[in-house]
Amino acid sequence: MVSGGTYGTEEIVHGAGYGRAILILLLTPLLWSLPTAFMIGELSSALPHEGGYYAWVRRALGNFWGFQEAWLSLVASIFDMAIYPTLFVAYLTRMFPWFQQGYRGWMVGLAVVIACAILNMAGVKVVSTTSLWLFFALSAPFVAIVVLAPFKLGALANAVTKPTTSTVDILGGLLICMWNYMGWDNASTIATEVERPQRTYPRAMLAAVVIVALSYVLPVAAMWMTGLAPTAWETGSWADIAGLLGGPLLQIGVVLGGMISAFGMFNALVMSYSRLPLAMAQDGMLPSIFGKLQRRSRAPWVAIVACAIGWALCLGLGFARLVTLDILLYGFSLMLEFAALAVLRFREPNLPRPFRVPGGLFGAIAVGIPPMLLLGFSIVRSEHEQVWNMSSFAFAMILIAAGVVAYLINHALKPAGWAPAEQKPEPAA
């Protein structure tokens, strides 16, 4: 499942309407997801180092840009991770509006952060071999929506729904769609283990994109048939839609699915994101305390606690604003990764690459153009979002500038530089 899966797609319909939402859902993976997956597929197979993306950028562009890549990825992860507790609360309040009052929703989101942090520090693997069955269970309500919708052709044109508070427009809908298609780098890490990767990997990624796109498009297209107004959609409204189609049981299924999806994704990503401060500490980019491991589970408990504090502080920003900041910061780190792909092709043409982006040096450069053009939309959108009395763009620029300051301080305190990538302590479990 990519990002939030079908959960979280509601604002795309609200901002763009049905027809344009479906078009966005079909085009975005081709322009955003596939180029990113191909880029990461080549770099991860050529340089399978701990630390991943920042190790690639550091090798291609030097210590300064390697540090900026790690900084941008870490800061973006804070906003990205705050999205999942926000989705958890959005679906919970659809069934229990009581949690919308006061700070109750924020407290529930904080409880999700604390629970997942504790589970990860204890080494408990909640999402493991059951992931495939979990995917089927979470998809079942949307299969029911697709099946039931044709029997209510045009029947919901005058349906009375809960008034929405969403202010998302078509540009905001596009950014949310980009977020919904993030996460393809997870598959790229096994590119070296794929038989005939040059042929198999692109086909597998195309098939995966088609499957995920259909899981997004079919439920939206089905609801278009019912005549339900696009203005009725906002984050969490899949629950209300399910209630209109299939009654309370289907509504409960969607609510539970949305909560389980958000909790499961958050818990799994705690393990992934907390390893970035660990790797940075092992390289000397962060204080060594972030490299401390829990004795039994080998989990980086200091990194987990520090990240959890950052995620908790962002819980009140709201879904759309979190997505805007996440895409903007993630997009700048992605730009450095595409630059690393092209530079390494030029500087190290003989580097073994089990998987290679087709088209030679031109292909390595051209594959980054569509994602960077989409990043331009996030810059435009961020100028209209407000965070603490400033535009999201200005806020993001402050965070990016802080990365430069952090590097200069780091370099002043440790002029000898970072530890070599090959000389790492034992990795966390």
Side-chain angles (χ1 to χ4, degrees):
M1 186 175 290
V2 182
S3 287
T6 312
Y7 300 98
T9 57
E10 300 99 323
E11 298 277 11
I12 304 172
V13 179
H14 182 100
Y18 287 103
R20 286 180 291 185
I22 291 174
L23 184 62
I24 290 172
L25 286 167
L26 290 173
L27 291 179
T28 300
L30 299 177
L31 301 175
W32 175 255
S33 304
L34 279 179
T36 302
F38 285 169
M39 174 270 292
I40 298 177
E42 175 172 324
L43 292 176
S44 63
S45 65
L47 302 169
H49 300 326
E50 187 179 354
Y53 29 79
Y54 99 80
W56 311 332
V57 174
R58 176 188 173 191
R59 176 160 174 165
L61 304 176
N63 283 356
F64 174 79
W65 290 114
F67 187 95
Q68 301 312 312
E69 170 68 16
W71 177 269
L72 287 169
S73 300
L74 185 60
V75 175
S77 75
I78 293 175
F79 298 104
D80 183 65
M81 287 294 280
I83 292 172
Y84 298 100
T86 301
L87 280 175
F88 184 96
V89 173
Y91 278 92
L92 175 67
T93 54
R94 290 288 165 167
M95 186 64 67
F96 303 103
W98 181 82
F99 286 102
Q100 289 180 315
Q101 301 174 20
Y103 291 97
R104 293 168 184 170
W106 183 87
M107 293 297 291
V108 171
L110 181 62
V112 171
V113 172
I114 294 172
C116 291
I118 292 173
L119 287 172
N120 274 266
M121 284 190 286
V124 178
K125 305 296 187 295
V126 173
V127 181
S128 56
T129 55
T130 60
S131 293
L132 183 60
W133 293 108
L134 183 63
F135 169 75
F136 287 127
L138 297 180
S139 300
F142 295 99
V143 173
I145 287 173
V146 172
V147 171
L148 292 172
F151 294 99
K152 294 205 173 186
L153 189 66
L156 301 182
N158 298 313
V160 178
T161 58
K162 179 182 176 181
T164 62
T165 58
S166 174
T167 57
V168 172
D169 55 12
I170 187 170
L171 197 54
L174 173 61
L175 296 189
I176 291 170
C177 187
M178 291 166 65
W179 175 78
N180 270 279
Y181 279 110
M182 284 167 52
W184 298 98
D185 50 337
N186 296 327
S188 68
T189 58
I190 60 170
T192 56
E193 303 173 33
V194 176
E195 184 180 351
R196 294 181 299 174
Q198 285 293 97
R199 182 178 181 183
T200 305
Y201 188 76
R203 290 184 176 182
M205 292 307 303
L206 281 169
V209 166
V210 170
I211 292 171
V212 173
L214 287 176
S215 73
Y216 292 172
V217 169
L218 289 179
V220 172
M223 289 310 304
W224 194 5
M225 297 168 59
T226 68
L228 184 67
T231 52
W233 295 65
E234 66 177 348
T235 303
S237 62
W238 272 122
D240 298 336
I241 290 167
L244 292 172
L245 280 178
L249 285 179
L250 187 55
Q251 183 178 22
I252 291 171
V254 169
V255 168
L256 291 177
M259 293 168 61
I260 293 171
S261 172
F263 187 93
M265 289 291 294
F266 184 89
N267 186 70
L269 288 172
V270 169
M271 182 175 66
S272 174
Y273 281 135
S274 63
R275 268 55 181 179
L276 183 55
L278 170 66
M280 293 169 70
Q282 290 173 348
D283 271 346
M285 297 167 60
L286 286 178
S288 59
I289 190 173
F290 288 95
K292 285 188 174 293
L293 305 178
Q294 209 276 337
R295 186 171 299 176
R296 278 178 132 186
S297 66
R298 307 294 296 164
W301 67 273
V302 175
I304 291 174
V305 170
C307 288
I309 292 172
W311 302 330
L313 290 174
C314 295
L315 289 177
L317 291 179
F319 179 72
R321 192 174 290 114
L322 286 170
V323 168
T324 300
L325 288 167
D326 183 19
I327 292 293
L328 185 61
L329 294 166
Y330 170 79
F332 279 108
S333 69
L334 199 64
M335 184 186 302
L336 292 176
E337 293 169 35
F338 279 112
L341 174 71
V343 169
L344 287 173
R345 279 287 193 95
F346 180 76
R347 288 183 179 174
E348 302 184 44
N350 297 323
L351 180 70
R353 293 172 170 88
F355 172 77
R356 180 185 292 264
V357 175
L361 180 59
F362 173 79
I365 296 173
V367 75
I369 294 175
M372 293 308 99
L373 291 177
L374 287 177
L375 175 60
F377 288 112
S378 71
I379 294 174
V380 173
R381 175 64 182 178
S382 65
E383 292 179 346
H384 301 285
E385 286 279 4
Q386 293 292 311
V387 178
W388 295 314
N389 296 321
M390 69 180 79
S391 71
S392 295
F393 180 77
F395 182 67
M397 291 303 102
I398 291 174
L399 294 176
I400 292 172
V404 177
V405 174
Y407 174 82
L408 295 175
I409 295 173
N410 179 284
H411 186 70
L413 295 177
K414 198 171 185 179
W418 303 345
E422 292 77 13
Q423 300 176 7
K424 293 282 188 74
E426 179 185 350

